[in-house]
Amino acid sequence: MDETAERLLGSASRLSRDPETEIDWEAPIGDGYGMSPEWSTLYGTPYWDELTEAQQRELTRHESASVATTGIWFELILQQMILRDVYDKPPRSAEFQWALTEIADECRHSIMFARATERMVEPAYRPRLLARELGRMFKTVATGETAYAAILVAEEVLDVMQRDWMRDRRVEPLVRTVNHIHVVEESRHMVFAREETRERLAGAGRGRRWVSALVIAIAADMIVSSMVSRQVYANVGLDAERAVREARSNEHHRSLLRTSCANLMDFLGSVGLLTPAAARVYRRTGLL
Amino acid sequence: MSYVISGECCSDASCVAVCPMNSIHPSPGEPGFGAGVSLFIDPRTCIDCGACADICPVDAAQPADQAAPEDVERNAAYFAEREPLEATDLDSWEPPAYQVWGDGPRRVLVVGAGPAGMYATRELLLRTTAEVTLVDRLDQVGGLVRFGVAPDHPRTKQIIDTFERIVGHSRVRWLPGTDSTSLTTGYDAVVHAVGARRSRRLGISGEDSACTAEDFVAWYNGRPGATLPVQLTGPRAVVVGNGNVALDVARLLLSDEDQLRQMDVSPDVRRVLAASGIKEVVLLGRRGPETAAYTETALQELLAAAGDRVELRFHARPTSWTSEGLTLESGDTIAAGNLFTAIGFEGQAVDGLPFDADRGIVPNVRGAVVGRPGHYVAGWIKRGARGGIGVNKACAQETVTTLVSSSRAAASPGS
Ligand SMILES: Cc1cc2nc3c(=O)[nH]c(=O)nc-3n(C[C@H](O)[C@H](O)[C@H](O)COP(=O)(O)OP(=O)(O)OC[C@H]3O[C@@H](n4cnc5c(N)ncnc54)[C@H](O)[C@@H]3O)c2cc1C
Ligand code: SF4
Ligand code: SF4
């Protein structure tokens, strides 16, 4: 573990990015998409086809802001879990120092996302109450592999979307830069989360694995289903009922999610966290 | 420091998608992808995050301080003449490509559980909601990865673990030991991924008493039912062929007992190889070294293992094989106890499908079998017997894209 942590510390010293100085926060915002349109929850549905291009663009800007907000929410959970996890680790160890580096990264990311959403759209989004309350509980009780694998799930889902958006010339430049900064630093966090998950699971028996697998799957469901708030549809003037209905049965979106989570599912499978019960949850959520 | 990719890379490009710095090339779509065997990491832009190593199914990506110095050099050399790509200039990245989901097929049959069949299955699971029936006439997944890839390349074989996880997916019905011909209809689409494992023939007299790469490789890898059709006789053997398979054959023939003990081969294979008395191998190429099909890494590996006992001979055309040895067009005879032919593989006709005998493939357009709606091909039976394991991924993706688009209603605007 220390070896991984040391390498990651070395990597962070090679390249860490400071959104504060790297982004021109005063630069005017254009009218680009907020995310690749193909990532919109409505893309591919009849409703999407009824919208004008301007409406589609507006929708993606709000969806993107909502996703970023979910990112902030999860980063808060993550920071607290990591802080608790390293509470009694020796401060001189690479693992401890890397953990704090990660917290510092997340801290910067949350501020960055908050400022970016503020520049992109008027209304502020928040994950729904149920998610917030479950998150509150989760961050207090989750330990070991459950904490790290849940971190991984959230990061991985976000990561794959953001890789697409950052490369997409149709997307607003601010969003692209913010996403690249996140992607770079997140790749180290995912390496760390995988390593921790593997290590914590090393001696786990079948019972514990079964429970952990299910808890992680439920957390994943909560994260994914909280990504785009239903407020989004109302705020861009859509019929929220209809939008939610069509988004929910949007096979195009589910297939994008599945594709994005393929590496993650492969990892969970390789460490024995894809138990039949967990797999059922992932299938329902649309990740498997 | 940076990460580097070793020669065991099978270029499936999984790492390209996770690198946050665009440091790994050639990526799919770039010239050179799929031609060589390995991808490379640009040490000038790699930030050592380790994401590539984490994702690599065969552990080919490693930190430079743990990798072989030759690998570090190879990776750097690939980029020597190229400008570094500035990852923060996001327009220097390939833009994302999307495929829109439509009314996909409900039931798909995939024939063959080699790399092409496995990647096609994975892609179907990701891109559609279809239930996939996967069959192979053998009892295990892997195809030539299990029964072709040399036993001293255990890391390359690790990809089988990934294949086994795909088989465990709840939407996959895996029927081992099943020949496709025993299956009836009832599928919306059939993907034939049956490979091309039959050795090409030289067409010279006496060839029947030579040993084909197909037989030799199947034997040392323990494919069920495979036996060694010849008796190994030292001290010299001739291997005709200039591809990596020819090099595999030569390497195995020249392995000493110590090397054999470290390989995952049966005691029987080990005993026969150790007792063969073969001390020298002549590798014959019809044309010059500049057109040789082997990769630089594979050649280095062979030379490192048995350089002083391998002779590379180019511009040599065999005309007949007798107990005296191999006679060449030039009139020379190379005295040898065994002749191995490794001049490539060819596909066999598939029941009910058209067949292009010259190229050894089922004629197809981006994977759709010509004149047989509902039938698709992937892998070696689609492209011919060329390309490493990973190339089959892009190949299977193309086939599934064709399959999904032809079963879809009008795509939504903007797609
Ligand atoms: C000797 C050798 C060594 C190699 N080493 C390497 C290496 O080190 N690295 C690398 O990257 N690549 C290597 N390759 C190349 C790699 O193996 C191929 O690219 C790959 O296996 C081709 O995949 P495929 O799925 O098309 O065919 P295959 O791997 O041949 O799979 C075809 C499958 O279909 C099954 N099948 C055939 N007919 C039927 C039927 N009628 N019904 C049911 N099932 C059927 C077969 O049993 C088999 O499992 C090697 C190839 C060979 C021949
Ligand atoms: S095997 Fe695949 S993932 Fe591993 S280094 Fe090669 S291309 Fe990358
Ligand atoms: S270590 Fe990170 S930056 Fe370097 S090649 Fe691998 S994924 Fe890319």
Side-chain angles (χ1 to χ4, degrees), chain B residues 178-329:
Chain B
T178 310
D179 201 289
S180 63
T181 41
S182 68
L183 290 165
T184 45
T185 46
Y187 296 93
D188 299 326
V190 184
V191 179
H192 304 268
V194 294
R197 67 154 214 246
R198 206 176 58 178
S199 274
R200 276 187 199 284
R201 315 269 298 167
L202 275 171
I204 61 171
S205 70
E207 188 174 3
D208 289 345
S209 59
C211 181
T212 62
E214 175 191 345
D215 285 338
F216 189 56
V217 160
W219 167 73
Y220 66 55
N221 276 310
R223 192 174 77 202
T227 52
L228 185 61
V230 295
Q231 201 170 359
L232 299 184
T233 327
R236 185 185 293 130
V238 180
V239 179
V240 183
N242 258 182
N244 280 358
V245 175
L247 269 49
D248 280 352
V249 169
R251 211 175 57 248
L252 263 286
L253 285 172
L254 293 173
S255 299
D256 59 29
E257 272 198 84
D258 252 9
Q259 289 161 322
L260 287 165
R261 241 192 313 270
Q262 290 168 28
M263 294 182 203
D264 182 21
V265 289
S266 74
D268 197 37
V269 168
R270 194 174 301 141
R271 195 176 43 74
V272 172
L273 282 176
S276 74
I278 293 175
K279 301 269 180 279
E280 258 179 78
V281 169
V282 181
L283 269 171
L284 278 196
R286 246 176 315 173
R287 279 168 296 174
E290 65 289 346
T291 58
Y294 52 67
T295 53
E296 195 49 40
T297 0
L299 181 64
Q300 293 306 337
E301 188 186 5
L302 174 63
L303 296 181
D308 55 335
R309 294 180 291 142
V310 184
E311 185 193 338
L312 297 167
R313 232 202 243 192
F314 296 100
H315 302 292
R317 277 168 199 275
T319 51
S320 72
W321 167 245
T322 61
S323 54
E324 306 284 293
L326 187 69
T327 308
L328 306 179
E329 209 174 42

Side-chain angles (χ1 to χ4, degrees), chain B residues 89-114:
Chain B
D89 170 12
L90 295 169
D91 287 342
S92 71
W93 295 66
E94 281 279 300
Y98 293 98
Q99 269 119 17
V100 182
W101 194 89
D103 275 330
R106 277 180 310 114
R107 300 185 62 203
V108 180
L109 173 65
V110 176
V111 185

Side-chain angles (χ1 to χ4, degrees), chain B residues 5 8-16 39 52 55-61:
Chain B
I5 294 180
E8 271 168 291
C9 165
C10 61
S11 71
D12 70 353
S14 303
C15 52
V16 172
L39 303 194
C52 51
I55 214 73
C56 177
V58 300
D59 291 350

Side-chain angles (χ1 to χ4, degrees), chain B residues 112 114-116 136-137 143-144 148-149 178-180 193-195 245 379-380 387-389 392:
Chain B
D136 199 292
R137 58 174 159 220
L144 281 174
V149 169
T178 310
D179 201 289
S180 63
V194 294
V245 175
W380 275 12
I389 299 161
N392 296 294

Side-chain angles (χ1 to χ4, degrees), chain A residues 3 11 14 163 169 266, chain B residues 1 18 46-47 66 91 165:
Chain A
E3 198 189 312
S11 170
R14 254 189 109 164
R163 277 171 196 269
R169 290 153 178 67
D266 199 41
Chain B
M1 269 303 141
V18 301
C46 167
I47 55 164
Q66 285 175 13
D91 287 342
R165 282 196 293 278

Side-chain angles (χ1 to χ4, degrees), chain A residues 39 160 252-264 286-288, chain B residues 99 122-123 125-128 397:
Chain A
W39 267 105
V160 182
H252 164 70
H253 197 256
R254 288 168 73 90
S255 122
L256 265 187
L257 270 180
R258 264 201 310 274
T259 314
S260 313
C261 292
N263 286 338
L264 172 68
L287 300 187
L288 196 63
Chain B
Q99 269 119 17
R122 182 171 196 259
E123 200 61 16
L125 292 174
L126 297 177
R127 300 269 315 280
T128 73
Q397 281 169 343

Side-chain angles (χ1 to χ4, degrees), chain A residues 3 7-8 11-12 14-15 17 22 36 38-39 43-44 48-49 156 163-170 176-177 180 183-184 187-188 190-191 194 198 251-252 255-256 258-259 262-263 266 269-270 283 288, chain B residues 1-3 17-21 43-44 46-51 54-55 63 65-66 87-88 90-91 93-96 98-101 122 125-129 131 162 165 169-171 412-415:
Chain A
E3 198 189 312
R7 243 179 242 296
L8 292 172
S11 170
R14 254 189 109 164
L15 185 74
R17 301 180 60 177
E22 229 178 288
S36 304
E38 289 82 355
W39 267 105
Y43 186 89
W48 175 267
D49 296 345
E156 191 116 12
R163 277 171 196 269
D164 283 350
W165 310 349
M166 78 186 196
R167 293 181 292 150
D168 197 325
R169 290 153 178 67
R170 298 166 297 179
R176 295 180 67 189
T177 309
H180 188 232
V183 159
V184 170
S187 68
R188 289 191 281 256
M190 291 185 320
V191 167
R194 281 209 183 87
R198 265 187 220 112
E251 273 306 334
H252 164 70
S255 122
L256 265 187
R258 264 201 310 274
T259 314
N263 286 338
D266 199 41
S270 73
R283 255 190 95 168
L288 196 63
Chain B
M1 269 303 141
S2 91
Y3 272 63
V18 301
C19 175
M21 298 303 286
R44 300 165 300 184
C46 167
I47 55 164
D48 244 334
C49 69
D54 231 12
I55 214 73
D65 56 3
Q66 285 175 13
T88 52
L90 295 169
D91 287 342
W93 295 66
E94 281 279 300
Y98 293 98
Q99 269 119 17
V100 182
W101 194 89
R122 182 171 196 259
L125 292 174
L126 297 177
R127 300 269 315 280
T128 73
T129 49
E131 306 280 334
T162 311
R165 282 196 293 278
H169 192 282
S170 56
R171 269 191 286 141
S412 54
S415 66

